[in-house]
Amino acid sequence: MMEHNENTAVQEVALSAFDYKMENDQAIEPRDEMPEGYRKHLIRQMSQHAHSEVIGMQPEGNWITRAPSLRAKQILLAKIQDECGHGLYLYSAAETLGISRSEMIAQLHSGKAKYSSVFNYPTLNWADVGAIGWLVDGAAIVNQVSLQRTSYGPYSRAMVRICKEESFHQRQGYEIMANMMRGTADQREMAQDAMNRWWWPSLMMFGPHDSSSPHTGDAFKWKIKRQSNDELRAKFIDKTVQQAEVIGLTIPDPELKWNEEKGHYDHGPINWAEFQRVIGGHGPCNTQRIAHHKKTHENGAWVRAAAAAYSAKQKSIA
Ligand code: FAQ
């Protein structure tokens, strides 16, 4: 009984240390005591973030062999490799919370863990590669810059590093779109068509409206999120409208209008039924994306076995 009380007291002290750090904006680190809900919330978000980076390689990978020049191919290859690195970095950061990479992958394969809705849309032509870099990476940056101040140390540090690379990705996409807009009428049409197809899915990346976002309450309480889904979406729209104007692209939203009072653009309604369909597994490419991941993961089993055997051998020598 005595021991139980002492343990409880130790835990209370540790958790009040957590509250102290929260209140004083100090990072929570892997060895700190933390409420179970905080740990679970982070595992959910960080693993889904990692899965998004990795699944996000597929739509762009589709165009490596058909890039229009050697320069474009080199840049695209480097970008996709970066996304892979971001995924691995985020898996490692999530592992500090007590979940293994194989458990996270199993959750992805079973459908328990999500990945960003936007990667369930197809890349039909080269302009789509431009639209992904410009709009999808552009949206990812807005969200990730905000997450640089998230309360969990390993996640926040991962974001600082990842954002540096994402800004190159965004410029790579914008350059493709700008070049196409300087090209022939057909090229301009392709760029506009890609813009039309990727605009709304990019807005959906920020998640449901704040009023229907179940995790936002806890995310703010624990300083995991510093800005809400709608705030970040508005930030992305404001900066992207200007960039579209510069290269002559039209945002496919007739209701888009500057609101002087709010200091933001008002936009038309987002198709949340489509969003729910896509995150529920019924988007245009969901089945293909997961099937490809499973196949590649199975094909890589021998690499994991070889790495484990090598590591065991090194330990036995030491
Ligand atoms: N797609 O209550 P909330 C990238 C789910 S990285 C799918 O608002 P929360 C780089 C949400 O998980 C892109 N599911 O949730 C790149 C939850 O379901 P759950 C990824 C979504 O967590 C570029 C439910 O809806 N970035 O693109 C989506 O507070 C190019 C309720 O939602 C991150 O993951 C969605 N769009 O806010 C790579 C950033 N939105 O878990 C390759 C980190 C919501 O209960 C090529 N994550 N859901 O089953 C976050 O900031 C947050 O998790 C949000 C959602 C903002 C995504």
Side-chain angles (χ1 to χ4, degrees):
M1 190 64 188
M2 179 68 176
E3 197 183 312
H4 172 78
N5 283 342
E6 269 173 22
N7 280 343
T8 314
V10 169
Q11 243 175 12
E12 272 168 15
V13 170
L15 281 177
S16 67
F18 174 88
D19 289 337
Y20 177 85
K21 280 190 150 194
M22 274 285 146
E23 269 163 37
N24 291 283
D25 270 341
Q26 291 174 9
I28 307 299
E29 295 298 339
R31 291 195 178 135
D32 292 343
E33 270 314 313
M34 57 186 89
E36 191 53 17
Y38 178 80
R39 198 179 66 82
K40 285 200 171 130
H41 191 120
L42 280 169
I43 288 179
R44 177 192 65 82
Q45 178 168 325
M46 290 167 69
S47 68
Q48 296 189 164
H49 196 161
H51 297 326
S52 303
E53 299 279 358
V54 170
I55 297 284
M57 292 193 286
Q58 291 187 38
E60 293 176 313
N62 186 28
W63 282 89
I64 293 173
T65 54
R66 291 173 285 174
S69 68
L70 182 58
R71 177 180 179 270
K73 193 196 285 269
Q74 278 178 318
I75 295 173
L76 184 60
L77 269 171
K79 175 190 192 294
I80 296 172
Q81 216 166 10
D82 282 352
E83 310 297 1
C84 178
H86 298 172
L88 301 187
Y89 208 64
L90 283 163
Y91 282 129
S92 300
E95 280 183 314
T96 63
L97 291 155
I99 183 168
S100 68
R101 173 105 64 94
S102 54
E103 281 173 284
M104 289 185 265
I105 303 284
Q107 289 178 355
L108 171 70
H109 288 174
S110 73
K112 185 169 180 246
K114 297 185 171 73
Y115 57 90
S116 186
S117 50
V118 78
F119 300 120
N120 291 306
Y121 292 85
T123 38
L124 305 181
N125 57 49
W126 180 251
D128 289 17
V129 175
I132 291 187
W134 175 37
L135 300 173
V136 176
D137 282 275
I141 293 173
V142 170
N143 170 280
Q144 293 175 156
V145 163
S146 182
L147 284 172
Q148 289 178 347
R149 291 179 52 242
T150 196
S151 56
Y152 190 54
Y155 195 19
S156 130
R157 290 190 286 275
M159 288 297 106
V160 172
R161 192 160 163 174
I162 286 173
C163 281
K164 287 193 180 134
E165 293 180 348
E166 297 285 28
S167 64
F168 279 104
H169 299 173
Q170 196 263 354
R171 276 179 245 173
Q172 166 261 1
Y174 192 60
E175 184 190 74
I176 292 174
M177 296 305 256
N179 283 342
M180 290 188 97
M181 290 306 285
R182 280 196 292 267
T184 62
D186 280 352
Q187 285 172 323
R188 285 198 293 279
E189 205 179 302
M190 271 171 76
Q192 183 62 55
D193 169 62
M195 166 96 205
N196 296 349
R197 284 181 289 107
W198 289 92
W199 176 251
W200 294 103
S202 302
L203 296 194
M204 290 175 196
M205 285 176 73
F206 294 93
H209 283 314
D210 298 348
S211 53
S212 40
S213 160
H215 297 299
T216 287
D218 279 344
F220 269 119
K221 178 177 81 182
W222 285 320
K223 299 185 177 175
I224 292 171
K225 267 185 189 171
R226 297 297 192 148
Q227 286 165 293
S228 75
N229 299 0
D230 286 329
E231 280 173 309
L232 293 173
R233 190 172 8 248
K235 214 173 200 179
F236 169 70
I237 294 174
D238 293 348
K239 74 172 200 179
T240 311
V241 170
Q242 285 175 6
Q243 294 169 0
E245 274 169 13
V246 169
I247 56 173
L249 281 165
T250 307
I251 306 267
D253 179 358
E255 293 179 45
L256 194 77
K257 200 165 165 258
W258 179 250
N259 183 326
E260 193 65 51
E261 214 170 288
K262 287 197 210 151
H264 288 298
Y265 280 91
D266 285 332
H267 62 84
I270 294 172
N271 186 342
W272 293 116
E274 175 180 320
F275 173 76
Q276 288 301 338
R277 248 193 332 273
V278 175
I279 69 170
H282 306 291
C285 300
N286 296 59
T287 310
Q288 180 187 331
R289 299 286 184 245
I290 289 296
H292 183 77
H293 193 281
K294 280 185 182 162
K295 189 171 128 236
T296 310
H297 190 67
E298 279 160 22
N299 287 346
W302 70 270
V303 179
R304 292 189 295 280
Y310 180 73
S311 162
K313 192 173 151 196
Q314 292 301 102
K315 274 187 201 137
S316 73
I317 295 168

